[in-house]
Amino acid sequence: MRAIAAAAAKAILFSGRRYSHSFSSIRGYSIMISTHLNNTTVTHSQSSPYSADRCSPSRQLLAFPWSVNQIRFAKARGSDVRPGNVIERKGKVYQVVKAQHSTQGRGGAIIQVELRDVDSGNKVNERFRTDETVEKIFVEAKSFTYLYTDEETDSIVLMEPKTFVQLDVPKHLFGDSLPYLKDDITVSVELFNDRPMSASVPKRVTCTVVEAQVPMKGMGATPHTKKVLLDNGLSVQVPPHVITGDKILVDTTDNSYISRA
């Protein structure tokens, strides 16, 4: 120990300057060397929980600020799985599309989930026990602006507003929300090590009615709703007073009418 400290102190001693540095030995001791003129002070502390002989597991949830080099996993129970979560299952990464809890007699409570493979976009259905351990991946959510759809690469090109950096996101990550993508709309992308894991549009989006049936007199009772065609190609049920050219708010989670915009 003394030999290590002496060698380190000699290497960092500067004439007329004050300088301090710390080293960690392979046994976990923390060595602080402080020099002032010709005086050298050496102190050491007890073994640290982060020393080399007490390394944390590589898949542990890290408590430090987000870094692209971190592996951020955590154990979660099946009952905690929610739509939008990103999980690892059988060596693959999935986004949870749907999750439904149910009880099957003496078999106990289970959760039926629909998963989307982040790589291929394929969907699979699986069942978890509510007390089953699931590998949940912690992601970093960022906002991007939609630029255009690249049909050649089958991807959505987005831009980060502050840095103007562009990001290509596979179309399948948007799922059924693709029709709502339009110029300058702000979307949310969840990233893991700078790789897109999931993407979503705002819950409320303004659309224009391009085709609507005009109520005709003498047709009896006025229906409570009618189907209209929107500028993004989707058809939704709206109140009878909505006409062609109206702008309406649509709930993107179920393609339902909210109100006039």
Side-chain angles (χ1 to χ4, degrees):
M1 174 69 69
R2 293 180 180 177
I4 296 175
K10 183 178 181 181
I12 63 171
L13 184 60
F14 292 90
S15 176
R17 296 183 182 179
R18 183 170 182 168
Y19 182 85
S20 64
H21 197 72
S22 62
F23 300 88
S24 293
S25 71
I26 59 174
R27 289 186 170 275
Y29 288 94
S30 177
I31 305 172
M32 175 63 71
I33 301 174
S34 178
T35 64
H36 181 61
L37 295 179
N38 294 325
N39 296 322
T40 301
T41 302
V42 180
T43 61
H44 73 274
S45 61
Q46 297 298 321
S47 180
S48 165
Y50 300 103
S51 60
D53 55 351
R54 298 188 183 184
C55 291
S56 57
S58 61
R59 297 171 69 81
Q60 180 181 0
L61 175 62
L62 302 180
F64 301 98
W66 176 264
S67 167
V68 296
N69 296 320
Q70 289 181 5
I71 306 299
R72 297 169 62 91
F73 290 83
K75 301 288 186 181
R77 295 194 308 171
S79 58
D80 296 327
V81 174
R82 297 288 185 271
N85 289 163
V86 179
I87 66 173
E88 184 188 40
R89 188 76 171 168
K90 299 177 182 178
K92 293 187 177 182
V93 179
Y94 296 94
Q95 179 191 16
V96 180
V97 180
K98 297 178 182 178
Q100 183 176 0
H101 295 258
S102 63
T103 304
Q104 293 187 339
R106 296 182 180 179
I110 64 169
I111 175 171
Q112 182 76 31
V113 294
E114 180 179 313
L115 305 175
R116 178 186 293 116
D117 190 318
V118 171
D119 291 323
S120 66
N122 296 332
K123 293 183 180 181
V124 296
N125 293 299
E126 290 202 23
R127 291 181 178 180
F128 302 150
R129 299 189 314 275
T130 54
D131 60 348
E132 182 176 349
T133 299
V134 179
E135 291 278 3
K136 187 176 180 181
I137 299 176
F138 283 76
V139 294
E140 179 190 28
K142 283 188 176 183
S143 294
F144 291 85
T145 301
Y146 171 76
L147 293 181
Y148 64 92
T149 300
D150 190 335
E151 299 297 345
E152 293 185 2
T153 61
D154 207 31
S155 62
I156 305 300
V157 181
L158 308 174
M159 181 184 70
E160 191 172 9
K162 294 182 179 179
T163 63
F164 303 105
V165 173
Q166 294 187 11
L167 176 70
D168 290 353
V169 177
K171 289 172 65 174
H172 67 257
L173 292 187
F174 280 94
D176 297 332
S177 300
L178 275 174
Y180 292 103
L181 294 175
K182 58 183 180 180
D183 291 346
D184 297 329
I185 189 174
T186 299
V187 302
S188 178
V189 179
E190 294 184 329
L191 305 166
F192 176 69
N193 286 0
D194 281 349
R195 178 185 175 191
M197 294 285 107
S198 65
S200 60
V201 299
K203 181 176 173 58
R204 295 186 175 192
V205 172
T206 301
C207 300
T208 302
V209 177
V210 296
E211 186 177 318
Q213 183 180 2
V214 179
M216 298 180 64
K217 296 181 179 180
M219 294 295 293
T222 303
H224 294 292
T225 62
K226 64 180 181 182
K227 184 180 291 187
V228 299
L229 180 66
L230 304 179
D231 55 347
N232 58 15
L234 294 178
S235 296
V236 299
Q237 294 288 337
V238 300
H241 63 264
V242 175
I243 60 174
T244 301
D246 282 352
K247 293 185 180 298
I248 63 173
L249 284 176
V250 179
D251 187 331
T252 60
T253 59
D254 57 6
N255 302 328
S256 62
Y257 171 85
I258 299 176
S259 66
R260 275 180 170 171

PDB file of all heavy atoms in Angstrom, residues 183-212:
ATOM      1  N   ASP A 183     -47.695  16.525 -41.510  1.00  0.00           N
ATOM      2  CA  ASP A 183     -46.620  17.515 -41.409  1.00  0.00           C
ATOM      3  C   ASP A 183     -46.623  18.220 -40.058  1.00  0.00           C
ATOM      4  O   ASP A 183     -47.661  18.703 -39.592  1.00  0.00           O
ATOM      5  CB  ASP A 183     -46.751  18.560 -42.520  1.00  0.00           C
ATOM      6  CG  ASP A 183     -46.464  17.962 -43.889  1.00  0.00           C
ATOM      7  OD1 ASP A 183     -45.909  16.846 -43.938  1.00  0.00           O
ATOM      8  OD2 ASP A 183     -46.804  18.611 -44.903  1.00  0.00           O
ATOM      9  N   ASP A 184     -45.439  18.260 -39.453  1.00  0.00           N
ATOM     10  CA  ASP A 184     -45.177  19.010 -38.220  1.00  0.00           C
ATOM     11  C   ASP A 184     -45.873  18.464 -36.980  1.00  0.00           C
ATOM     12  O   ASP A 184     -45.844  19.106 -35.921  1.00  0.00           O
ATOM     13  CB  ASP A 184     -45.550  20.492 -38.388  1.00  0.00           C
ATOM     14  CG  ASP A 184     -44.717  21.172 -39.450  1.00  0.00           C
ATOM     15  OD1 ASP A 184     -43.547  20.771 -39.620  1.00  0.00           O
ATOM     16  OD2 ASP A 184     -45.230  22.094 -40.116  1.00  0.00           O
ATOM     17  N   ILE A 185     -46.493  17.291 -37.054  1.00  0.00           N
ATOM     18  CA  ILE A 185     -47.085  16.728 -35.844  1.00  0.00           C
ATOM     19  C   ILE A 185     -45.969  16.268 -34.908  1.00  0.00           C
ATOM     20  O   ILE A 185     -44.924  15.790 -35.348  1.00  0.00           O
ATOM     21  CB  ILE A 185     -48.026  15.544 -36.181  1.00  0.00           C
ATOM     22  CG1 ILE A 185     -48.800  15.113 -34.923  1.00  0.00           C
ATOM     23  CG2 ILE A 185     -47.257  14.376 -36.758  1.00  0.00           C
ATOM     24  CD1 ILE A 185     -49.857  14.061 -35.187  1.00  0.00           C
ATOM     25  N   THR A 186     -46.154  16.462 -33.607  1.00  0.00           N
ATOM     26  CA  THR A 186     -45.170  16.052 -32.616  1.00  0.00           C
ATOM     27  C   THR A 186     -45.518  14.657 -32.114  1.00  0.00           C
ATOM     28  O   THR A 186     -46.643  14.407 -31.674  1.00  0.00           O
ATOM     29  CB  THR A 186     -45.138  17.029 -31.430  1.00  0.00           C
ATOM     30  OG1 THR A 186     -44.777  18.334 -31.911  1.00  0.00           O
ATOM     31  CG2 THR A 186     -44.116  16.588 -30.399  1.00  0.00           C
ATOM     32  N   VAL A 187     -44.554  13.765 -32.183  1.00  0.00           N
ATOM     33  CA  VAL A 187     -44.756  12.386 -31.745  1.00  0.00           C
ATOM     34  C   VAL A 187     -43.770  12.057 -30.635  1.00  0.00           C
ATOM     35  O   VAL A 187     -42.784  12.769 -30.417  1.00  0.00           O
ATOM     36  CB  VAL A 187     -44.585  11.393 -32.911  1.00  0.00           C
ATOM     37  CG1 VAL A 187     -45.567  11.718 -34.024  1.00  0.00           C
ATOM     38  CG2 VAL A 187     -43.154  11.418 -33.448  1.00  0.00           C
ATOM     39  N   SER A 188     -44.035  10.977 -29.932  1.00  0.00           N
ATOM     40  CA  SER A 188     -43.162  10.537 -28.847  1.00  0.00           C
ATOM     41  C   SER A 188     -42.501   9.222 -29.228  1.00  0.00           C
ATOM     42  O   SER A 188     -43.162   8.305 -29.723  1.00  0.00           O
ATOM     43  CB  SER A 188     -43.972  10.358 -27.553  1.00  0.00           C
ATOM     44  OG  SER A 188     -43.158   9.890 -26.500  1.00  0.00           O
ATOM     45  N   VAL A 189     -41.186   9.144 -29.025  1.00  0.00           N
ATOM     46  CA  VAL A 189     -40.427   7.929 -29.323  1.00  0.00           C
ATOM     47  C   VAL A 189     -39.681   7.515 -28.060  1.00  0.00           C
ATOM     48  O   VAL A 189     -39.051   8.342 -27.402  1.00  0.00           O
ATOM     49  CB  VAL A 189     -39.430   8.148 -30.476  1.00  0.00           C
ATOM     50  CG1 VAL A 189     -38.638   6.874 -30.743  1.00  0.00           C
ATOM     51  CG2 VAL A 189     -40.153   8.587 -31.732  1.00  0.00           C
ATOM     52  N   GLU A 190     -39.776   6.243 -27.723  1.00  0.00           N
ATOM     53  CA  GLU A 190     -39.051   5.710 -26.577  1.00  0.00           C
ATOM     54  C   GLU A 190     -37.795   4.998 -27.079  1.00  0.00           C
ATOM     55  O   GLU A 190     -37.872   4.139 -27.953  1.00  0.00           O
ATOM     56  CB  GLU A 190     -39.937   4.765 -25.769  1.00  0.00           C
ATOM     57  CG  GLU A 190     -41.102   5.496 -25.118  1.00  0.00           C
ATOM     58  CD  GLU A 190     -41.932   4.591 -24.237  1.00  0.00           C
ATOM     59  OE1 GLU A 190     -42.023   3.381 -24.553  1.00  0.00           O
ATOM     60  OE2 GLU A 190     -42.491   5.079 -23.244  1.00  0.00           O
ATOM     61  N   LEU A 191     -36.639   5.388 -26.525  1.00  0.00           N
ATOM     62  CA  LEU A 191     -35.349   4.906 -27.000  1.00  0.00           C
ATOM     63  C   LEU A 191     -34.643   4.084 -25.933  1.00  0.00           C
ATOM     64  O   LEU A 191     -34.734   4.386 -24.742  1.00  0.00           O
ATOM     65  CB  LEU A 191     -34.456   6.089 -27.388  1.00  0.00           C
ATOM     66  CG  LEU A 191     -35.026   7.069 -28.414  1.00  0.00           C
ATOM     67  CD1 LEU A 191     -34.199   8.342 -28.430  1.00  0.00           C
ATOM     68  CD2 LEU A 191     -35.062   6.448 -29.793  1.00  0.00           C
ATOM     69  N   PHE A 192     -33.938   3.069 -26.377  1.00  0.00           N
ATOM     70  CA  PHE A 192     -33.060   2.278 -25.511  1.00  0.00           C
ATOM     71  C   PHE A 192     -31.704   2.213 -26.186  1.00  0.00           C
ATOM     72  O   PHE A 192     -31.573   1.678 -27.285  1.00  0.00           O
ATOM     73  CB  PHE A 192     -33.616   0.867 -25.315  1.00  0.00           C
ATOM     74  CG  PHE A 192     -32.717  -0.020 -24.505  1.00  0.00           C
ATOM     75  CD1 PHE A 192     -32.533   0.205 -23.157  1.00  0.00           C
ATOM     76  CD2 PHE A 192     -32.050  -1.081 -25.096  1.00  0.00           C
ATOM     77  CE1 PHE A 192     -31.703  -0.609 -22.404  1.00  0.00           C
ATOM     78  CE2 PHE A 192     -31.220  -1.902 -24.352  1.00  0.00           C
ATOM     79  CZ  PHE A 192     -31.044  -1.668 -23.002  1.00  0.00           C
ATOM     80  N   ASN A 193     -30.676   2.819 -25.549  1.00  0.00           N
ATOM     81  CA  ASN A 193     -29.361   2.926 -26.170  1.00  0.00           C
ATOM     82  C   ASN A 193     -29.455   3.559 -27.557  1.00  0.00           C
ATOM     83  O   ASN A 193     -28.856   3.086 -28.527  1.00  0.00           O
ATOM     84  CB  ASN A 193     -28.685   1.556 -26.254  1.00  0.00           C
ATOM     85  CG  ASN A 193     -28.176   1.090 -24.893  1.00  0.00           C
ATOM     86  OD1 ASN A 193     -28.321   1.792 -23.902  1.00  0.00           O
ATOM     87  ND2 ASN A 193     -27.594  -0.075 -24.853  1.00  0.00           N
ATOM     88  N   ASP A 194     -30.249   4.625 -27.659  1.00  0.00           N
ATOM     89  CA  ASP A 194     -30.456   5.388 -28.897  1.00  0.00           C
ATOM     90  C   ASP A 194     -31.189   4.599 -29.982  1.00  0.00           C
ATOM     91  O   ASP A 194     -31.214   5.020 -31.134  1.00  0.00           O
ATOM     92  CB  ASP A 194     -29.117   5.899 -29.462  1.00  0.00           C
ATOM     93  CG  ASP A 194     -28.624   7.128 -28.719  1.00  0.00           C
ATOM     94  OD1 ASP A 194     -29.417   7.689 -27.928  1.00  0.00           O
ATOM     95  OD2 ASP A 194     -27.480   7.527 -28.919  1.00  0.00           O
ATOM     96  N   ARG A 195     -31.786   3.499 -29.633  1.00  0.00           N
ATOM     97  CA  ARG A 195     -32.520   2.694 -30.602  1.00  0.00           C
ATOM     98  C   ARG A 195     -34.014   2.799 -30.313  1.00  0.00           C
ATOM     99  O   ARG A 195     -34.442   2.611 -29.171  1.00  0.00           O
ATOM    100  CB  ARG A 195     -32.089   1.235 -30.512  1.00  0.00           C
ATOM    101  CG  ARG A 195     -32.835   0.328 -31.463  1.00  0.00           C
ATOM    102  CD  ARG A 195     -32.439  -1.113 -31.230  1.00  0.00           C
ATOM    103  NE  ARG A 195     -33.228  -2.006 -32.050  1.00  0.00           N
ATOM    104  CZ  ARG A 195     -33.243  -3.323 -31.911  1.00  0.00           C
ATOM    105  NH1 ARG A 195     -32.500  -3.886 -30.988  1.00  0.00           N
ATOM    106  NH2 ARG A 195     -33.995  -4.062 -32.689  1.00  0.00           N
ATOM    107  N   PRO A 196     -34.857   3.119 -31.330  1.00  0.00           N
ATOM    108  CA  PRO A 196     -36.305   3.239 -31.099  1.00  0.00           C
ATOM    109  C   PRO A 196     -36.921   1.916 -30.654  1.00  0.00           C
ATOM    110  O   PRO A 196     -36.719   0.882 -31.287  1.00  0.00           O
ATOM    111  CB  PRO A 196     -36.847   3.661 -32.473  1.00  0.00           C
ATOM    112  CG  PRO A 196     -35.676   4.218 -33.202  1.00  0.00           C
ATOM    113  CD  PRO A 196     -34.492   3.442 -32.723  1.00  0.00           C
ATOM    114  N   MET A 197     -37.659   1.972 -29.552  1.00  0.00           N
ATOM    115  CA  MET A 197     -38.351   0.796 -29.039  1.00  0.00           C
ATOM    116  C   MET A 197     -39.851   0.872 -29.293  1.00  0.00           C
ATOM    117  O   MET A 197     -40.508  -0.135 -29.535  1.00  0.00           O
ATOM    118  CB  MET A 197     -38.110   0.658 -27.533  1.00  0.00           C
ATOM    119  CG  MET A 197     -36.675   0.371 -27.149  1.00  0.00           C
ATOM    120  SD  MET A 197     -36.169  -1.332 -27.487  1.00  0.00           S
ATOM    121  CE  MET A 197     -35.101  -1.087 -28.912  1.00  0.00           C
ATOM    122  N   SER A 198     -40.408   2.062 -29.228  1.00  0.00           N
ATOM    123  CA  SER A 198     -41.832   2.271 -29.475  1.00  0.00           C
ATOM    124  C   SER A 198     -42.055   3.713 -29.903  1.00  0.00           C
ATOM    125  O   SER A 198     -41.202   4.578 -29.675  1.00  0.00           O
ATOM    126  CB  SER A 198     -42.664   1.952 -28.223  1.00  0.00           C
ATOM    127  OG  SER A 198     -42.366   2.864 -27.185  1.00  0.00           O
ATOM    128  N   ALA A 199     -43.194   3.957 -30.522  1.00  0.00           N
ATOM    129  CA  ALA A 199     -43.519   5.302 -30.998  1.00  0.00           C
ATOM    130  C   ALA A 199     -45.024   5.509 -30.905  1.00  0.00           C
ATOM    131  O   ALA A 199     -45.807   4.563 -31.070  1.00  0.00           O
ATOM    132  CB  ALA A 199     -43.038   5.494 -32.432  1.00  0.00           C
ATOM    133  N   SER A 200     -45.435   6.734 -30.650  1.00  0.00           N
ATOM    134  CA  SER A 200     -46.859   7.023 -30.503  1.00  0.00           C
ATOM    135  C   SER A 200     -47.165   8.452 -30.924  1.00  0.00           C
ATOM    136  O   SER A 200     -46.297   9.322 -30.913  1.00  0.00           O
ATOM    137  CB  SER A 200     -47.311   6.808 -29.053  1.00  0.00           C
ATOM    138  OG  SER A 200     -46.592   7.662 -28.171  1.00  0.00           O
ATOM    139  N   VAL A 201     -48.419   8.668 -31.306  1.00  0.00           N
ATOM    140  CA  VAL A 201     -48.896   9.997 -31.673  1.00  0.00           C
ATOM    141  C   VAL A 201     -49.663  10.569 -30.489  1.00  0.00           C
ATOM    142  O   VAL A 201     -49.994   9.840 -29.544  1.00  0.00           O
ATOM    143  CB  VAL A 201     -49.805   9.920 -32.926  1.00  0.00           C
ATOM    144  CG1 VAL A 201     -49.030   9.361 -34.108  1.00  0.00           C
ATOM    145  CG2 VAL A 201     -51.043   9.080 -32.638  1.00  0.00           C
ATOM    146  N   PRO A 202     -49.978  11.874 -30.501  1.00  0.00           N
ATOM    147  CA  PRO A 202     -50.756  12.445 -29.403  1.00  0.00           C
ATOM    148  C   PRO A 202     -52.117  11.773 -29.270  1.00  0.00           C
ATOM    149  O   PRO A 202     -52.662  11.237 -30.235  1.00  0.00           O
ATOM    150  CB  PRO A 202     -50.910  13.923 -29.822  1.00  0.00           C
ATOM    151  CG  PRO A 202     -49.754  14.175 -30.733  1.00  0.00           C
ATOM    152  CD  PRO A 202     -49.528  12.903 -31.466  1.00  0.00           C
ATOM    153  N   LYS A 203     -52.654  11.787 -28.067  1.00  0.00           N
ATOM    154  CA  LYS A 203     -53.953  11.157 -27.818  1.00  0.00           C
ATOM    155  C   LYS A 203     -55.061  11.869 -28.579  1.00  0.00           C
ATOM    156  O   LYS A 203     -56.030  11.242 -29.029  1.00  0.00           O
ATOM    157  CB  LYS A 203     -54.262  11.165 -26.320  1.00  0.00           C
ATOM    158  CG  LYS A 203     -55.588  10.506 -25.957  1.00  0.00           C
ATOM    159  CD  LYS A 203     -55.788  10.470 -24.462  1.00  0.00           C
ATOM    160  CE  LYS A 203     -57.177   9.977 -24.078  1.00  0.00           C
ATOM    161  NZ  LYS A 203     -57.470   8.635 -24.608  1.00  0.00           N
ATOM    162  N   ARG A 204     -54.920  13.177 -28.758  1.00  0.00           N
ATOM    163  CA  ARG A 204     -55.927  13.962 -29.493  1.00  0.00           C
ATOM    164  C   ARG A 204     -55.294  14.583 -30.725  1.00  0.00           C
ATOM    165  O   ARG A 204     -54.253  15.220 -30.634  1.00  0.00           O
ATOM    166  CB  ARG A 204     -56.515  15.059 -28.605  1.00  0.00           C
ATOM    167  CG  ARG A 204     -57.302  14.539 -27.413  1.00  0.00           C
ATOM    168  CD  ARG A 204     -57.951  15.683 -26.683  1.00  0.00           C
ATOM    169  NE  ARG A 204     -58.810  15.234 -25.609  1.00  0.00           N
ATOM    170  CZ  ARG A 204     -59.676  16.026 -24.952  1.00  0.00           C
ATOM    171  NH1 ARG A 204     -59.757  17.311 -25.273  1.00  0.00           N
ATOM    172  NH2 ARG A 204     -60.417  15.533 -23.994  1.00  0.00           N
ATOM    173  N   VAL A 205     -55.946  14.383 -31.863  1.00  0.00           N
ATOM    174  CA  VAL A 205     -55.436  14.921 -33.122  1.00  0.00           C
ATOM    175  C   VAL A 205     -56.597  15.590 -33.866  1.00  0.00           C
ATOM    176  O   VAL A 205     -57.721  15.079 -33.875  1.00  0.00           O
ATOM    177  CB  VAL A 205     -54.824  13.811 -34.000  1.00  0.00           C
ATOM    178  CG1 VAL A 205     -54.484  14.341 -35.388  1.00  0.00           C
ATOM    179  CG2 VAL A 205     -53.575  13.242 -33.337  1.00  0.00           C
ATOM    180  N   THR A 206     -56.305  16.739 -34.485  1.00  0.00           N
ATOM    181  CA  THR A 206     -57.313  17.442 -35.272  1.00  0.00           C
ATOM    182  C   THR A 206     -57.332  16.917 -36.701  1.00  0.00           C
ATOM    183  O   THR A 206     -56.290  16.840 -37.351  1.00  0.00           O
ATOM    184  CB  THR A 206     -57.036  18.956 -35.295  1.00  0.00           C
ATOM    185  OG1 THR A 206     -57.050  19.454 -33.950  1.00  0.00           O
ATOM    186  CG2 THR A 206     -58.092  19.689 -36.110  1.00  0.00           C
ATOM    187  N   CYS A 207     -58.505  16.542 -37.188  1.00  0.00           N
ATOM    188  CA  CYS A 207     -58.672  16.034 -38.550  1.00  0.00           C
ATOM    189  C   CYS A 207     -59.774  16.819 -39.251  1.00  0.00           C
ATOM    190  O   CYS A 207     -60.632  17.431 -38.616  1.00  0.00           O
ATOM    191  CB  CYS A 207     -59.034  14.549 -38.538  1.00  0.00           C
ATOM    192  SG  CYS A 207     -57.807  13.490 -37.749  1.00  0.00           S
ATOM    193  N   THR A 208     -59.749  16.773 -40.582  1.00  0.00           N
ATOM    194  CA  THR A 208     -60.758  17.458 -41.388  1.00  0.00           C
ATOM    195  C   THR A 208     -61.685  16.440 -42.036  1.00  0.00           C
ATOM    196  O   THR A 208     -61.230  15.425 -42.580  1.00  0.00           O
ATOM    197  CB  THR A 208     -60.092  18.308 -42.487  1.00  0.00           C
ATOM    198  OG1 THR A 208     -59.196  19.253 -41.873  1.00  0.00           O
ATOM    199  CG2 THR A 208     -61.135  19.059 -43.302  1.00  0.00           C
ATOM    200  N   VAL A 209     -62.980  16.721 -41.972  1.00  0.00           N
ATOM    201  CA  VAL A 209     -63.975  15.846 -42.597  1.00  0.00           C
ATOM    202  C   VAL A 209     -64.011  16.152 -44.092  1.00  0.00           C
ATOM    203  O   VAL A 209     -64.257  17.288 -44.502  1.00  0.00           O
ATOM    204  CB  VAL A 209     -65.372  16.067 -41.981  1.00  0.00           C
ATOM    205  CG1 VAL A 209     -66.416  15.202 -42.691  1.00  0.00           C
ATOM    206  CG2 VAL A 209     -65.350  15.769 -40.484  1.00  0.00           C
ATOM    207  N   VAL A 210     -63.754  15.155 -44.915  1.00  0.00           N
ATOM    208  CA  VAL A 210     -63.739  15.367 -46.366  1.00  0.00           C
ATOM    209  C   VAL A 210     -64.987  14.792 -47.046  1.00  0.00           C
ATOM    210  O   VAL A 210     -65.269  15.110 -48.208  1.00  0.00           O
ATOM    211  CB  VAL A 210     -62.477  14.746 -47.008  1.00  0.00           C
ATOM    212  CG1 VAL A 210     -61.222  15.443 -46.499  1.00  0.00           C
ATOM    213  CG2 VAL A 210     -62.400  13.251 -46.741  1.00  0.00           C
ATOM    214  N   GLU A 211     -65.709  13.974 -46.336  1.00  0.00           N
ATOM    215  CA  GLU A 211     -66.924  13.406 -46.912  1.00  0.00           C
ATOM    216  C   GLU A 211     -67.905  13.066 -45.801  1.00  0.00           C
ATOM    217  O   GLU A 211     -67.574  12.326 -44.874  1.00  0.00           O
ATOM    218  CB  GLU A 211     -66.596  12.143 -47.715  1.00  0.00           C
ATOM    219  CG  GLU A 211     -67.772  11.560 -48.475  1.00  0.00           C
ATOM    220  CD  GLU A 211     -67.377  10.356 -49.303  1.00  0.00           C
ATOM    221  OE1 GLU A 211     -66.301  10.401 -49.928  1.00  0.00           O
ATOM    222  OE2 GLU A 211     -68.137   9.368 -49.304  1.00  0.00           O
ATOM    223  N   ALA A 212     -69.095  13.611 -45.877  1.00  0.00           N
ATOM    224  CA  ALA A 212     -70.115  13.366 -44.858  1.00  0.00           C
ATOM    225  C   ALA A 212     -71.487  13.353 -45.516  1.00  0.00           C
ATOM    226  O   ALA A 212     -71.784  14.180 -46.378  1.00  0.00           O
ATOM    227  CB  ALA A 212     -70.057  14.438 -43.771  1.00  0.00           C
TER     228      ALA A 212
END
